Every structure is written in structure tokens, then in C-alpha cells.
Amino acid sequence: MTLEQLRIFIAVAQRAHMTKAAAALGLGQSAVSAAIAALETRHGTKLFHRVGRGIALTEAGEQFLGAARAVLTQAEAAQALLEDLAGTTRGRLSLQASHTIASYWLPRHLVSFRRAYPGIEIALTVGNSMQVAQAVLEGTAELGLVEGPVEFPVLLNLQVARDSMILVTGPEHPWAGTEKLAPAQLTQSEWVLREQGSGTRLEFEHAVAGFGLNIADFRVALELPSNEAVRGAVEAGLGATALSASVAAPSLEAGLLRQVNFPLPERAFHLLRHQQRTPSRAGAAFSALIHPG
């Protein structure tokens, strides 16, 4: 069993798709399939169910995933330690970021970091805010970036930016022509929202609670796992939603969405780091880039 096989297995498990994992790793699909087949054959254990074009972890695969992540994390920590001891500017930085941050805020900072430290490989994965926090807690990511504060005492939580959330609908929605919306009207429409655990969803729930409303009283027609899916559903005419202004901007400019005059509070983007783990040189450098203070 090699570290590369473990890395491939984890990538396939995360994406439940051989082709997507291959693309993310920069490998051919045949190489990814061969690595999984070698693991299964060598140990006489099926790790994935093949269901049509898709795949899903078997019970054995679910159990092996945690162990594989732990081994890979330890190997990366050992490599980072040697690189730090040598004082090199090479290495690997594992980041996990929420969807909004990864798509709309983080790329320019990754470019700046890459220019400053071309020898450091950046491994970025994307999840919702709770998944990001869990990855930092478990050590599968050294640093996390989330929308809004995440309350785990062991995680250092630093504000690195602020973001505006806005309420939007499709052009035909009754609210599209409203001069100003009253809080009591919010429960009168269908809604399309991000899934539970999403930073955008949590911030919206906190916002409406500030107006004395409970999200349980809202008519949530769809819960979707990405900003783009939420935006597309509302563009198609289903209800209203709350999105980052950056996410909504292209659709507003194209006339596919309308912003509703309703005040939503700003939210903060936060950097997460485990306080009981010593940061690598790469992690410290990236933290200093996005949080100079």
C-alpha cells in the first residue's frame, strides 16, 4: 500500500466519481481505476459499490476512509516537519474553504501566495462551513476558511474579510417591484436555501432571528448544496433566496435576478487553525498573507 494509493482512494471517496477524482489529481482515469483495483485486489476487500455510472463507498470503504485520512495526515505532517527543519520554501499546504470563499474570494489570494512561494504546493478542498471546521479539527486540513464564526474552543478563529449578503428573487416574483420589504412578509414566499451546515444558511437564519422570526416558519421549497444551484433555481422562478453579493452579481447584471430592498447584516469571513497544533512554515506564511495583523 502506497501513500499515492491512499491519496487516490480519498479523492475518489470525496467525489464519488472516478473521472472527477482523476481530474482533481491531474491523473488519467485509468491510473485512478488501477490504484483502486490494486487496493481492493491486494486486500480482498471491496471499497466501492459500482452503481450505474456512479460509485459509493461500501461499509468497509467507510471504515477505511478514516484510517486512510489519518495516515496521509501523519505523512504530510512528517514531511512538513522536515521541510521546516531544513528552512526550505518548499512544501505542501492543505486548505479547506467554504463554497462562497473558494469561488469568489480565495482565488486572488492563492495567486498572490503562489507568486510569493512558488515551491509550495497548495491542496484545496471545498465543503460547507461545518465540514471545513471538522477538517481542521481532524487535521485533514491545516487551515480552514469559513463564512461566519464557528464555535469550537480549540479552533483559533480570525476575521480576514467582510462580505455583504443580499435578498434576491427572479424578475417575475411579486417582491421584485417592492420598494421595501417588511420582515413579516418574509414568510409569505417560497424559499430556496443552502443546506444545513452552510455558512450562508447559518448567517441567514441568524439574520431572520434578529427580526423575531424562526426559519421553521419559512416555506423552504428547496435546499441545495451549492450557491450556483440556489442561484439557478431562483433565476428559474422559484421563490427567493439570500446570497453573497458576489455570487448574485453576474445574474443581477444580466437581469436574471432582482435585488429586494431588505436589510441583511454583513457577515465575516474567518480563518480557522487548530490551536494545539504547531503551524507549518507554509501555513504561517499563508495566514500572514491574508491576516497581516
Side-chain angles (χ1 to χ4, degrees):
M1 185 185 301
T2 67
L3 292 177
E4 183 64 10
Q5 286 175 329
L6 294 182
R7 189 170 287 116
I8 290 170
F9 167 72
I10 292 168
V12 174
Q14 287 175 333
R15 294 164 179 81
H17 201 282
M18 293 279 189
T19 303
K20 290 179 181 178
L25 294 168
L27 299 173
Q29 184 176 345
S30 59
V32 171
S33 298
I36 298 299
L39 277 175
E40 292 181 326
T41 301
R42 168 75 175 167
H43 300 284
T45 303
K46 281 292 182 185
L47 299 173
F48 293 97
H49 296 295
R50 275 70 174 180
V51 184
R53 294 186 177 182
I55 57 175
L57 284 168
T58 63
E59 183 177 348
E62 290 277 6
Q63 295 178 16
F64 181 57
L65 180 58
R69 283 175 168 159
V71 170
L72 202 58
T73 297
Q74 290 179 343
E76 289 171 353
Q79 180 180 333
L81 175 61
L82 288 176
E83 288 161 348
D84 279 1
L85 291 172
T88 67
T89 55
R90 303 187 64 82
R92 188 172 187 270
L93 175 61
S94 57
L95 296 174
Q96 185 154 338
S98 63
H99 291 271
T100 301
I101 292 175
S103 298
Y104 298 94
W105 181 83
L106 185 58
R108 66 181 182 274
H109 296 290
L110 293 180
V111 171
S112 297
F113 186 76
R114 178 69 178 176
R115 287 172 177 164
Y117 302 95
I120 295 177
E121 176 192 354
I122 300 169
L124 173 66
T125 53
V126 181
N128 66 38
S129 290
M130 293 308 297
Q131 290 168 338
V132 173
Q134 195 63 39
V136 178
L137 285 169
E138 294 173 353
T140 54
E142 179 177 350
L143 300 175
L145 288 157
V146 298
E147 305 141 37
V150 175
E151 303 300 332
F152 290 98
V154 76
L155 296 184
L156 183 65
N157 203 317
L158 299 173
Q159 182 177 316
V160 294
R162 296 198 67 79
D163 178 51
S164 298
M165 285 183 65
I166 60 174
L167 197 158
V168 295
T169 69
E172 304 303 319
H173 192 282
W175 292 350
T178 302
E179 288 189 9
K180 189 172 183 179
L181 199 67
Q185 294 177 268
L186 292 178
T187 57
Q188 297 173 8
S189 172
E190 290 187 316
W191 287 82
V192 181
L193 297 177
R194 286 288 307 278
E195 79 285 6
Q196 296 284 345
S198 153
T200 298
R201 171 69 173 262
L202 290 171
E203 287 295 310
F204 181 63
E205 290 183 359
H206 291 157
V208 300
F211 294 106
L213 301 172
N214 190 320
I215 198 69
D217 297 325
F218 283 54
R219 290 187 286 143
V220 180
L222 283 177
E223 292 183 349
L224 298 172
S226 74
N227 294 317
E228 290 70 24
V230 170
R231 186 177 63 191
V234 177
E235 286 176 1
L238 181 59
T241 195
L243 288 173
S244 164
S246 299
V247 175
S251 298
L252 291 170
E253 292 173 7
L256 299 173
L257 291 178
R258 296 283 181 84
Q259 182 174 350
V260 179
N261 185 8
F262 184 83
L264 289 175
E266 281 192 334
R267 61 179 176 173
F269 291 166
H270 288 259
L271 173 69
L272 303 181
R273 179 173 65 77
H274 202 296
Q275 297 191 77
Q276 297 174 356
R277 296 192 179 99
T278 302
S280 67
R281 289 180 187 268
F286 185 80
S287 298
L289 174 73
I290 64 172
H291 188 263

